[in-house]
Amino acid sequence: MIVLKTSRELKIMREAGRIAANALKFAGAAIEPGVSTWEIDRVARRYIEEQGAKPTFLGYGGFPASACVSVNNVVIHGIPKKNHLLREGDIVSIDVGATYEGFVGDNAYTFPCGKVSEEAQRLMDTTRESLAEGIRAAVAGARLGDVGSAVQRYAEARGYSVVRDYVGHGVGAKMHEDPSVPNYGTPGRGVRLLPGMTIAIEPMINQGVKEVRTLNDGWTTVTADGKLSAHFENSIAITPDGPVILTVAD
Ligand code: MG
């Protein structure tokens, strides 16, 4: 069931989104060679709690941290660890959510650690821009297939593959609501977008094959071929005036 939000609820979601976006920004700013992924998580958690919000991911399905920190070939759901130190040239995807007054903001961004290769930079740039393409397509009256195909077309035209096993989602009082928001699809197909819908669009784009697998810890999802992956996400609202990004940092 897709839950449409009132303007009062959208106001709260903007605040939840602001907190999630700032947490992401500060966590990203902490990235440098020698810093542990655990420290990155701690920066995000501390900011969220200081704001009177809750880290949405902490304990979600048993997840042990406030942020997912996914390095290089890790696509999503990387578990922060004290003994995982970042290295020059890594690409570091941080995914973090904040729950504020009962509503969730969810967002992700892939940051470079120091100087990264041209290939890594191009993957990050393309993934970020594929998200922007998806958001641009998310206008009232369009369908989810328009959004997914916009992401897919942009990424595949540049030689990358789109992860199929994980998708975006509705977001609101719960982190994962209906509908599912794939990063691939057919224009003109799927759920029609209506004002008041709030969705998280989150392309996961791989340098090599689209297949992924999950490690024995039950969380860490890696590319099947060991090549790089990038991940960007915004929570957005569908409005009569076009898509509005909810996860905006100060
Ligand atoms: Mg999400």
Side-chain angles (χ1 to χ4, degrees):
M1 186 188 61
I2 296 172
V3 184
L4 300 181
K5 278 73 177 183
T6 64
S7 58
R8 189 192 69 85
E9 290 169 332
L10 287 177
K11 218 173 144 190
I12 300 171
M13 287 193 68
R14 270 187 200 251
E15 182 59 14
R18 186 189 71 83
I19 295 168
N22 280 336
L24 182 59
K25 182 175 78 171
F26 294 134
I31 289 173
E32 60 178 336
V35 168
S36 74
T37 55
W38 181 85
E39 286 169 88
I40 301 298
D41 174 71
R42 205 176 55 158
V43 170
R45 178 175 180 169
R46 189 190 298 131
Y47 174 78
I48 291 168
E49 292 180 340
E50 277 169 7
Q51 296 297 304
K54 284 206 172 86
T56 313
F57 295 8
L58 187 61
Y60 187 95
F63 192 74
S66 300
C68 299
V69 184
S70 305
V71 181
N72 295 336
N73 63 314
V74 180
V75 181
I76 49 168
H77 300 167
I79 299 174
K81 289 200 170 66
K82 281 185 179 174
N83 64 2
H84 184 164
L85 306 185
L86 297 175
R87 300 195 300 191
E88 178 92 18
D90 284 343
I91 65 170
V92 185
S93 301
I94 302 175
D95 190 350
V96 63
T99 305
Y100 179 76
E101 291 188 4
F103 285 89
V104 174
D106 185 11
N107 62 176
Y109 197 98
T110 303
F111 299 89
C113 180
K115 189 167 168 39
V116 302
S117 70
E118 257 177 59
E119 296 75 37
Q121 188 63 51
R122 184 171 165 269
L123 173 67
M124 291 190 293
D125 291 345
T126 300
T127 308
R128 191 181 61 243
E129 192 51 40
S130 76
L131 169 59
E133 291 285 318
I135 292 172
R136 274 194 278 276
V139 296
R143 292 178 182 269
L144 278 178
D146 299 314
V147 174
S149 69
V151 173
Q152 180 182 13
R153 204 172 337 108
Y154 191 86
E156 289 182 350
R158 284 151 186 83
Y160 298 119
S161 66
V162 175
V163 171
R164 302 294 201 279
D165 292 358
Y166 295 88
V167 296
H169 49 90
V171 61
K174 288 189 289 185
M175 174 157 64
H176 294 128
E177 297 187 347
D178 287 337
S180 287
V181 181
N183 300 298
Y184 53 91
T186 307
R189 302 286 287 271
V191 169
R192 193 179 290 283
L193 297 173
L194 299 173
M197 284 177 63
T198 46
I199 57 174
I201 306 176
E202 50 177 320
M204 290 146 263
I205 304 297
N206 292 352
Q207 202 177 31
V209 299
K210 64 181 184 299
E211 283 76 22
V212 301
R213 64 187 178 89
T214 303
L215 302 186
N216 287 336
D217 62 18
W219 286 105
T220 312
T221 299
V222 300
T223 53
D225 59 8
K227 292 189 177 177
L228 298 176
S229 185
H231 179 210
F232 287 78
E233 175 180 28
N234 276 136
S235 298
I236 71 163
I238 311 303
T239 82
D241 306 318
V244 171
I245 298 176
L246 299 168
T247 38
V248 179
D250 291 326

